[in-house]
Amino acid sequence: MALEIERKQPDGMNVRMQQGKAAYSHVVTVNGPGKTIYVAGQLARDVSGNLVGKGDMRAQMEQTFKNLDACLKAAGASWADVVKTNTFVTDYPEFSKHSDVRMRYIGVAARPAPPCRSAASPTRRDGRDRADRRGG
């Protein structure tokens, strides 16, 4: 059986253009004996590509999860179908204060594996990068 690959740009999502074409697809589905859905990494960007909630982690998380929700719906899926997420943040303590936003979308019953990585961030007072958790 041949696989069918579909690329989707959900309504209400900003589509970054390069040379008159979409730079990437927000959602790709692969249909065959089963269906696999790939969702591009999402940011706190509105339909015009503007950052939502500059300096406000809660507002950024709300927009990011709103974007992810639109991607899942465009693929005919829901949060109950999600088996894995990756989250990259620059301020983990601030991110963890707003875990209720994540749980409102993902829910307790459908919780996927929650890997979370600190991205490159400003240097700490002791000169080490904040992402470096070794030795305190």
Side-chain angles (χ1 to χ4, degrees):
M1 173 181 218
L3 296 177
E4 179 186 338
I5 299 172
E6 295 179 74
R7 292 167 176 81
K8 301 171 187 276
Q9 304 291 13
D11 291 336
M13 303 283 293
N14 177 257
V15 178
R16 194 173 72 221
M17 304 298 284
Q18 291 180 339
Q19 299 175 351
K21 296 180 182 178
Y24 61 92
S25 298
H26 282 282
V27 181
V28 176
T29 61
V30 181
N31 299 292
K35 181 177 185 177
T36 303
I37 301 165
Y38 299 92
V39 176
Q42 297 298 309
L43 302 171
R45 302 273 179 193
D46 65 16
V47 69
S48 299
N50 300 310
L51 175 65
V52 172
K54 184 174 182 176
D56 181 350
M57 181 68 76
R58 177 172 290 281
Q60 290 181 20
M61 288 176 67
E62 288 283 358
Q63 184 65 44
T64 301
F65 277 97
K66 178 180 171 184
N67 292 346
L68 288 166
D69 197 55
C71 290
L72 290 170
K73 287 177 181 169
S78 73
W79 286 99
D81 299 309
V82 174
V83 296
K84 185 175 188 312
T85 64
N86 288 311
T87 304
F88 297 90
V89 299
T90 57
D91 188 341
Y92 187 80
E94 185 64 20
F95 169 79
S96 60
K97 289 179 192 174
H98 308 292
S99 62
D100 61 300
V101 175
R102 181 179 189 275
M103 293 310 297
R104 186 169 4 100
Y105 282 89
I106 293 176
V108 176
R111 192 173 355 183
C116 186
R117 307 282 186 263
S118 293
S121 59
T123 305
R124 295 177 359 170
R125 286 188 191 123
D126 62 7
R128 292 189 319 225
D129 186 276
R130 289 178 191 257
D132 182 4
R133 301 280 184 228
R134 295 172 298 212

